[in-house]
Amino acid sequence: ALDISGTMLGEDLRPNRLEAAKAVATESVLSRPNEQIGLVVFAGESYTQSPLTTDRVTLINLLKEIECGIIEDGTAIGNGLATAVARLKDSQAKSRVVILLTDGVNNSGEISPQMAAEIAKTYGIRVYTIGVGAEGTAPYPVMTPFGVDIQQVEVQIDEALLQQIAQETDGKYFRATDNTKLLEIYGEINKMEKNKTLVDSFPIYKELFMTFALIALAALVLELLFRFFITKQIPD
């Protein structure tokens, strides 16, 4: 569940928060080839960019197409999480997980983040939350009468809320202040969510013919000896 609000253009991660998140998410998708993964995006509202699928090529192409501004701006964390939960609730997978990444404060949507977390808990869905942004201020492109100007803007992340969502659903909260940290976070989540994957099994045969072959050979020898001695003792 990926935040695509306007603030995701902040340049404290390179080249910006959104592109950094897309790059790391792509690597994560490629590292889990046997699992179903879907993609939900949210800003002022939320929608499913990709349902659960094992088609990595299509999923990555849909991930690349994401941009800020394609839906109404805002940060509807509750809606984003609820949409992701709706996509996962009917899955028969042993482990069902949402990775929710945002850089802001919930200010939109009809569903509160707390309610969405309760719904996730009800369905046994674990939520890992990631707050993206540097400490303090971050460079952000601002439109001015003279064009785009890069200005330092205060980073506002509702960490208490993200921690609450993670705790409520038996997940974990992370803070990504740069590209390296974000990559490490996804790696840590991947390690925590490693599951045994069932693969096609092949029968293993154990040869049992030798016992029966020896019995048959012994019977044959006995028959030959019997014939030899019995025939020799019977007069013409």
Side-chain angles (χ1 to χ4, degrees), residues 39-93:
L39 177 62
V40 167
V41 295
F42 64 93
E45 52 186 334
S46 67
Y47 71 88
T48 301
Q49 178 78 349
S50 171
L52 292 174
T53 181
T54 57
D55 185 346
R56 295 294 179 266
V57 174
T58 299
L59 181 60
I60 290 173
N61 284 337
L62 288 170
L63 185 58
K64 290 179 179 178
E65 292 176 2
I66 294 173
E67 295 180 357
C68 293
I70 59 178
I71 53 179
E72 179 184 352
D73 204 12
T75 306
I77 295 174
N79 282 31
L81 178 54
T83 302
V85 169
R87 285 296 182 179
L88 279 174
K89 66 182 181 66
D90 295 324
S91 169
Q92 299 302 310

Side-chain angles (χ1 to χ4, degrees), residues 7 10 14 24 28 36 42 45-46 48-49 59-60 77 84 90 102 112 115-116 151-152 167 172-173 205 208 213 216:
T7 54
R14 297 296 180 181
V24 174
S28 180
Q36 289 191 322
F42 64 93
E45 52 186 334
S46 67
T48 301
Q49 178 78 349
L59 181 60
I60 290 173
I77 295 174
D90 295 324
T102 182
S112 71
M115 180 179 294
Q151 299 180 7
Q152 291 294 322
Q167 183 176 2
K172 187 175 180 180
Y173 168 68
Y205 296 100
L208 301 174

Side-chain angles (χ1 to χ4, degrees), residues 13 44 52 121 138 155 165 184 221 235:
L13 277 72
L52 292 174
K121 181 180 180 180
V155 177
I165 293 172
E184 291 175 354
V221 170

Side-chain angles (χ1 to χ4, degrees), residues 13-26:
L13 277 72
R14 297 296 180 181
N16 58 50
R17 296 171 187 169
L18 180 60
E19 292 304 318
K22 288 163 59 176
V24 174
T26 298

